[in-house]
Amino acid sequence: MKTLVKVVVLFLFTLNIQAQNATKAKQLLDDVAAKAKGYTNIVIDFKYSLSNAKENINQDSNGNVSISGNKYVLNFMGITKMFDGKKTYTIVPEDEEITISSGKDDDNSITPDKMLTFFQTGYSYAWDISQNIKGRKIQYVKLKPSSSKDNVKEILLGIDTSTNHIYNMIQTDKKGTKTTLTVNSFKTNQPLSKNHFTFTESKYSGYYINRLD
């Protein structure tokens, strides 16, 4: 009987610690989201890495994104993707082709404008390891999708505790593919031109424009 009592007490204690850690993790993520929403705009330079040991895949790419509200301009792998609040423009200079579609991507995808707030819904939280990276304290929070249909197994979100800015995001899917986005620079309230998030068709003379709707 005493052994059973000890097991129950230990179990309840563990549940209590997990609940406290989940609350702590959610509070940190709420602080990150609130901080991001407080800026007029955000400009991020990043490194993107993709790896899968089974498939012997290792790829690295660099990119940048500017965000203001729900508008964004993403430059990645030679392609520019822009959302002006109403339409999405995918510009491929190599093919001299532009695809224009109304609305945004699937709500379940992590689009550039949601990369600093996507974790607010659809995930469970757990407090994870803390690391010192180049003199910065990076606290990790582990996210797990609430839906079993999600292809993502888990996401580790690294947060610089001195700024409440995201330092990196490590995503692992159910097939073992790992993608890591590391922020090289995080600038806020930049003097962007008033037309920064506006698509100007005259700049792309000779391009084939594919209007999906």
Side-chain angles (χ1 to χ4, degrees):
M1 180 63 72
K2 289 183 179 180
T3 301
L4 178 60
V5 171
K6 287 181 180 180
V7 170
V8 172
V9 170
L10 180 59
F11 176 70
L12 293 175
F13 177 76
T14 301
L15 286 181
N16 184 51
I17 293 297
Q18 290 176 343
Q20 290 179 3
N21 285 342
T23 300
K24 189 164 55 171
K26 185 180 186 306
Q27 182 59 60
L28 179 58
L29 293 177
D30 286 346
D31 291 343
V32 169
K35 191 79 174 287
K37 291 176 181 178
Y39 297 124
T40 302
N41 61 63
I42 299 170
V43 179
I44 296 173
D45 288 328
F46 62 86
K47 177 182 177 181
Y48 179 88
S49 300
L50 183 149
S51 65
N52 186 310
K54 291 182 179 179
E55 302 293 335
N56 195 28
I57 297 174
N58 285 286
Q59 299 175 356
D60 291 329
S61 304
N62 292 308
N64 62 76
V65 61
S66 47
I67 306 165
S68 181
N70 68 338
K71 300 177 182 179
Y72 65 81
V73 176
L74 170 68
N75 296 297
F76 183 57
M77 299 183 73
I79 297 173
T80 295
K81 192 168 186 177
M82 172 190 297
F83 181 68
D84 63 4
K86 295 181 179 179
K87 294 184 177 182
T88 299
Y89 306 83
T90 304
I91 305 165
V92 187
E94 184 177 356
D95 300 333
E96 293 192 339
E97 181 174 332
I98 299 170
T99 300
I100 304 175
S101 61
S102 298
K104 298 177 66 177
D105 292 326
D106 189 295
D107 286 339
N108 292 324
S109 61
I110 302 176
T111 52
D113 59 308
K114 295 191 292 186
M115 65 185 294
L116 303 176
T117 58
F118 75 91
F119 42 78
Q120 289 190 296
T121 58
Y123 295 90
S124 62
Y125 315 114
W127 197 256
D128 211 87
I129 64 171
S130 177
Q131 291 184 334
N132 188 300
I133 301 177
K134 298 179 181 179
R136 302 161 66 186
K137 181 184 177 183
I138 307 300
Q139 175 62 54
Y140 284 91
V141 172
K142 182 179 290 186
L143 308 173
K144 289 196 174 183
S146 302
S147 173
S148 59
K149 296 180 181 180
D150 201 306
N151 290 325
V152 175
K153 179 182 177 182
E154 64 180 33
I155 298 173
L156 274 175
L157 206 59
I159 299 163
D160 185 332
T161 57
S162 66
T163 61
N164 280 344
H165 291 165
I166 292 176
Y167 167 72
N168 67 352
M169 180 176 73
I170 306 168
Q171 176 177 294
T172 305
D173 69 18
K174 293 177 180 177
K175 293 183 178 180
T177 299
K178 179 181 290 186
T179 55
T180 303
L181 187 149
T182 303
V183 175
N184 293 325
S185 71
F186 191 109
K187 299 177 181 178
T188 61
N189 301 334
Q190 297 298 291
L192 302 178
S193 71
K194 64 179 182 179
N195 296 321
H196 185 78
F197 299 99
T198 302
F199 174 73
T200 305
E201 189 170 328
S202 60
K203 291 182 179 180
Y204 303 97
S205 176
Y207 275 56
Y208 171 72
I209 297 181
N210 181 24
R211 302 179 191 274
L212 297 182
D213 42 35

